[in-house]
Amino acid sequence: MLTTRFEELRMSEDENFDSFITKLSDIVNSFHALGEPISNLKVCRKVLRSLPERFRAKVVAIEESDKVDDILFEELVGKLQTFELNHLSKKPTLKPNKSIAFKSSREESSVTQASADNLDEEELDFFAKKFRKIC
């Protein structure tokens, strides 16, 4: 039964890497408790083949740059955790809101003489400098 759980374990597309590793570690620790330890190589290969598509680039990089036979489980987990953190931090969560700040209508973009009269010299200089930096 434990062997079946080990072989069938896969990380789902919406699952967190840490929760997957926790499940895998529980199974591996159960094997150790029963006196049937699993080799480091077998666990590392299991991790690499059980990851979803979003990890595919990192898996290929690990397989090509490192000798998978020599990599330690802890080292592999560290590399994949780092990849997941970097991958998640690059997702554009604020992009839709940023574009709203740059939308303007014709009426809002033109400054009338009346509104320019309300601004003092310092404010006009400040806006002029900012405008020159942007352009």
Side-chain angles (χ1 to χ4, degrees), residues 49-128:
R49 73 173 180 264
S50 300
L51 295 173
E53 190 61 33
R54 70 179 189 259
F55 284 91
R56 197 58 43 212
K58 186 64 177 177
V59 169
V60 170
I62 289 171
E63 288 174 341
E64 291 195 6
S65 68
D66 298 326
K67 292 182 179 177
V68 180
D69 298 344
D70 298 334
I71 193 167
L72 296 174
F73 175 70
E74 293 81 12
E75 186 180 349
L76 177 64
V77 169
K79 288 180 179 193
L80 293 170
Q81 284 174 329
T82 303
F83 176 78
E84 183 181 48
L85 288 173
N86 289 337
H87 183 71
L88 290 176
S89 68
K90 290 181 183 177
K91 286 188 177 179
T93 55
L94 298 177
K95 238 182 187 177
N97 294 338
K98 285 183 181 179
S99 64
I100 293 172
F102 295 108
K103 287 184 179 180
S104 65
S105 65
R106 188 175 190 119
E107 296 85 32
E108 292 174 17
S109 64
S110 64
V111 177
T112 62
Q113 186 62 32
S115 63
D117 290 340
N118 292 336
L119 298 175
D120 63 2
E121 272 313 299
E122 284 183 30
E123 290 175 322
L124 286 174
D125 289 341
F126 174 77
F127 289 124

Side-chain angles (χ1 to χ4, degrees), residues 2-3 6 27-43:
L2 206 51
T3 305
F6 179 79
I27 294 171
V28 170
N29 290 337
S30 297
F31 272 110
H32 283 285
L34 293 173
E36 299 177 25
I38 299 176
S39 71
N40 180 66
L41 175 62
K42 188 172 183 178
V43 175

Side-chain angles (χ1 to χ4, degrees), residues 6-24:
F6 179 79
E7 292 301 325
E8 290 179 352
L9 182 65
R10 300 274 184 265
M11 183 176 166
S12 65
E13 199 60 51
D14 60 339
E15 187 176 10
N16 184 330
F17 181 72
D18 288 333
S19 65
F20 169 72
I21 288 300
T22 301
K23 290 177 196 175
L24 182 64

